[in-house]
């Protein structure tokens, strides 16, 4: 056997070894992904085309009738609107507030670590714990919030903050801001650590004001972090269930119903698993479409920037 033949066989063996190594390490992750993501999606799609009460075989095929029922249900349409309000409200409130707190905590001050911990603690609390605590705080008769308002001569709504259909959704949004603001602050603080101090020093030497430094240096360099956080906030808001279920259960009068609480109500309480399956598929499609659009319209600019940077670096290396 010639040396060239041996070398060719060795390269083939090495290539197959690499493929087997990749398959060995990727297979467990793919198996878990198929078990906990692909299989539930396929099951939901299967249930969505049957009328099924939770027992017996799937024999009552109804096609797309469940989807038409869901899309024509005013409660579901309202739940989509509520989810979109929570998406927009969460980003509009938490983004500037989280950025302001991050800029404040990024300065050297006494008790800096303690303040960061206090801000982040609500996020690490379980949703059940946080929801029960706020449910008790917002009670109209014995709640702490009502007592504080009474001590300064004010009075809350007669039906309570969670019992008034006009205020319930906004009250839930306030609780969600308290719960998830810590994630935005921590991510922004991490992004601020990557801003070079030399840029701040150069701006100060040029006579730039604090506001100009933040607008021209901090915010642009923190853009990728803010866009990533906004994506996570959007997806989380579309899938919101825990806090709403604990605080209001979707009430009063369906004023806080989300897509997740709607499908749970249809599935576990009304035993309409076909309707619940159709609602879950619609929720998945809405989240997927919004995620893809966000990726293409907003997150893609970070990818393009990285590609341009790499091309410029390679060009400089070639010139040198």
């Amino acid at each position: 056997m010639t040396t060239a033949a041996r070398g060719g066989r060795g390269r083939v063996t090495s290539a197959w070894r690499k493929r087997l190594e990749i398959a060995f390490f990727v297979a467990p992750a793919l198996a878990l992904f198929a078990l906990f993501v692909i299989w539930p999606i396929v099951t939901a799609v299967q249930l969505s085309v049957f009328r099924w009460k939770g027992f017996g075989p799937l024999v009552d095929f109804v096609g797309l009738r469940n989807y038409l029922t869901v899309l024509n249900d005013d409660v579901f349409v309202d739940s989509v609107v509520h989810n979109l309000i929570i998406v927009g409200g969460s980003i509009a409130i938490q983004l500037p507030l989280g950025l302001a707190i991050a800029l404040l905590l990024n300065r050297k001050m006494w008790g800096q670590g303690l303040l960061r911990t206090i801000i982040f603690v609500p996020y690490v609390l379980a949703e059940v714990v946080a929801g029960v605590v706020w449910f008790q705080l917002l009670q109209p008769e014995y709640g702490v919030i009502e007592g504080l308002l009474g001590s300064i001569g004010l009075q809350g709504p007669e039906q309570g903050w969670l019992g008034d259909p006009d205020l319930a959704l906004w009250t839930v949004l306030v609780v969600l801001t308290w719960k998830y603001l810590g994630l935005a602050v921590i991510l922004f603080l991490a992004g601020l650590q990557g801003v070079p101090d030399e840029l701040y020093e150069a701006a100060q030497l040029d006579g730039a004001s604090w506001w100009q430094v933040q607008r021209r240096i901090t915010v642009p360099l923190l853009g990728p972090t803010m866009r990533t956080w906004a994506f996570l906030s959007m997806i989380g808001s579309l899938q919101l269930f825990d806090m709403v279920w604990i605080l209001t259960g979707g009430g009063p009068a369906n004023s806080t119903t989300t897509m997740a609480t709607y499908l749970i109500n249809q599935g576990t309480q009304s035993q309409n698993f076909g309707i619940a399956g159709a609602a879950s598929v619609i929720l998945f499609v809405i989240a997927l479409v919004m995620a893809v659009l966000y990726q293409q319209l907003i997150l893609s600019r970070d990818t393009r920037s990285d590609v341009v940077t790499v091309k410029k670096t390679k060009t400089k290396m070639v010139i040198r």
Side-chain angles (χ1 to χ4, degrees), residues 106 108 192 195-210 212-214 216-218 221:
N106 195 45
K108 293 183 179 180
L192 289 172
V195 180
D197 294 334
E198 293 80 3
L199 295 179
Y200 291 129
E201 296 173 358
Q204 291 175 356
L205 292 175
D206 291 338
S209 64
W210 182 88
Q212 289 175 327
V213 170
Q214 307 309 319
R216 298 292 185 180
I217 297 177
T218 304
L221 292 179

Side-chain angles (χ1 to χ4, degrees), residues 255-301:
S255 61
T256 60
T257 303
T258 64
M259 288 183 282
T261 61
Y262 175 86
L263 67 90
I264 291 298
N265 275 321
Q266 291 293 331
T268 61
Q269 296 187 0
S270 300
Q271 304 298 314
N272 294 325
F273 289 97
I275 299 293
S280 65
V281 173
I282 295 173
L283 169 58
F284 172 76
V285 171
I286 292 175
L288 180 62
V289 170
M290 293 186 65
V292 171
L293 290 177
Y294 191 90
Q295 171 69 33
Q296 295 297 322
L297 300 178
I298 298 178
L299 289 182
S300 59
R301 68 177 62 183

Side-chain angles (χ1 to χ4, degrees), residues 136-139 141-151:
Q136 298 297 327
L137 292 176
L138 293 169
Q139 287 300 304
E141 297 180 358
Y142 57 84
V144 174
I145 303 298
E146 193 72 21
L148 291 176
L149 291 176
S151 65

Side-chain angles (χ1 to χ4, degrees), residues 101 105 114-123 178-179 181-183 185-186:
I101 296 175
L105 295 181
L114 178 61
L115 291 174
R116 291 182 178 183
T117 302
I118 292 174
I119 292 294
F120 192 64
V121 161
Y123 177 72
W178 170 86
K179 178 71 172 68
L181 180 63
L183 176 62
V185 173
I186 292 299

